[in-house]
Amino acid sequence: SDLGLDMRGHSTVMKESFRSTQPITEFALNLLYRLQPPEANPDHRELVSRGLIERVERNSQEWWHVRFNQVSGPKPQFRQYLNLDQEFDAIAAYCRELIVVQGVQPADICLIYNGPSIKSRLQKQVAPALTDLGVELSVQANKPFERSPNLLLATTSHSYKGYDSEVVIIPAVDHYTAQEKGVLATNLYVAMTRARSILTLFSQRLRDSDAERLYEAIEDCLE
């Protein structure tokens, strides 16, 4: 209105998405719905009414089929380890494999974490493993991103909303929880849907009710 344009009544819902592959989109949506039932969500009702998502049965279980994305790609992966040390060693090795073996540019990889303790782990355990490759792990949040070809970004889902990356790694997925709130399903959904081509979730094996609920939902969706 400041520019003299009357935009009232001109909003629309996009009918096709090219951000992520269909396997990533369907996995993220179904995981969100298992953690946070969608019946009261007006966005969900809008998607259903427009035929953009459809409830089907897959392996004798309810599944939401995404009709607004037809781009194929690999299925997301979930890797679990006995403890945080093993987990973050594996994350460092996976980053090296992507860069050295698969030829992925560091700038096309993003680590999306939740919580200051995970930020510290990335800086102490993953960053040193990349220095001999000439790759800098740069932890950035709540500010405009600095990017360069040899810079591998680590950030939060809140900071990366509206952005995307070819490869998204979610370290310590079981840390997407909060006291009295349980699993932060929406934050995790945002993190997962930043991935354009490859999505890999990492976790230790926590004996915690929220974490175990999350593990079960992830494995259920992958099956």
Side-chain angles (χ1 to χ4, degrees):
S1 60
D2 290 342
L3 297 172
L5 300 174
D6 182 5
M7 301 298 290
R8 292 173 297 180
H10 295 283
S11 63
T12 186
V13 174
M14 293 180 66
K15 295 183 179 179
E16 193 163 3
S17 169
F18 298 97
R19 180 194 295 278
S20 302
T21 64
Q22 188 179 47
I24 290 172
T25 304
E26 284 198 353
F27 170 73
L29 184 71
N30 281 274
L31 180 56
L32 173 67
Y33 284 179
R34 276 162 171 73
L35 298 170
Q36 189 173 287
E39 285 74 19
N41 187 331
D43 291 338
H44 169 74
R45 293 197 297 269
E46 176 96 9
L47 289 169
V48 173
S49 68
R50 291 178 176 268
L52 297 177
I53 61 174
E54 176 187 17
R55 180 161 47 192
V56 297
E57 189 174 286
R58 197 173 288 182
N59 291 338
S60 302
Q61 294 193 52
E62 178 183 284
W63 184 259
W64 287 96
H65 172 59
V66 170
R67 302 181 68 180
F68 58 80
N69 188 320
Q70 302 299 322
V71 181
S72 62
K75 188 172 77 170
Q77 293 186 17
F78 178 45
R79 304 183 181 188
Q80 270 192 300
Y81 300 87
L82 291 176
N83 52 55
L84 279 173
D85 285 334
Q86 288 186 9
E87 178 188 346
F88 278 81
D89 283 345
I91 291 170
Y94 181 55
C95 289
R96 290 183 63 91
E97 177 192 339
L98 288 170
I99 296 165
V100 176
V101 179
Q102 300 190 34
V104 179
Q105 295 296 313
D108 287 332
I109 304 169
C110 185
L111 292 146
I112 306 181
Y113 67 90
N114 186 68
S117 64
I118 303 307
K119 172 184 174 180
S120 298
R121 279 273 180 176
L122 290 171
Q123 291 171 322
K124 293 177 182 177
Q125 210 164 333
V126 177
L130 303 176
T131 53
D132 68 307
L133 302 178
V135 175
E136 176 191 355
L137 176 66
S138 179
V139 180
Q140 304 177 38
N142 302 318
K143 63 179 182 179
F145 296 118
E146 299 174 10
R147 306 303 294 265
S148 70
N150 287 324
L151 189 149
L152 196 159
L153 179 66
T155 188
T156 64
S157 60
H158 176 75
S159 298
Y160 213 53
K161 194 169 185 178
Y163 295 86
D164 57 51
S165 186
E166 288 295 336
V167 179
V168 165
I169 301 167
I170 301 181
V173 68
D174 42 22
H175 279 63
Y176 276 80
T177 60
Q179 287 186 349
E180 300 180 1
K181 291 184 179 180
V183 178
L184 300 174
T186 303
N187 297 50
L188 180 55
Y189 175 78
V190 170
M192 292 187 293
T193 53
R194 300 310 91 194
R196 295 189 65 184
S197 301
I198 295 173
L199 172 64
T200 308
L201 285 62
F202 283 81
S203 174
Q204 61 177 320
R205 291 189 178 93
L206 280 177
R207 292 188 175 179
D208 171 88
S209 58
D210 289 331
E212 288 176 345
R213 176 174 172 244
L214 178 56
Y215 302 153
E216 182 179 355
I218 290 171
E219 290 166 352
D220 185 42
C221 287
L222 288 176
E223 288 173 5

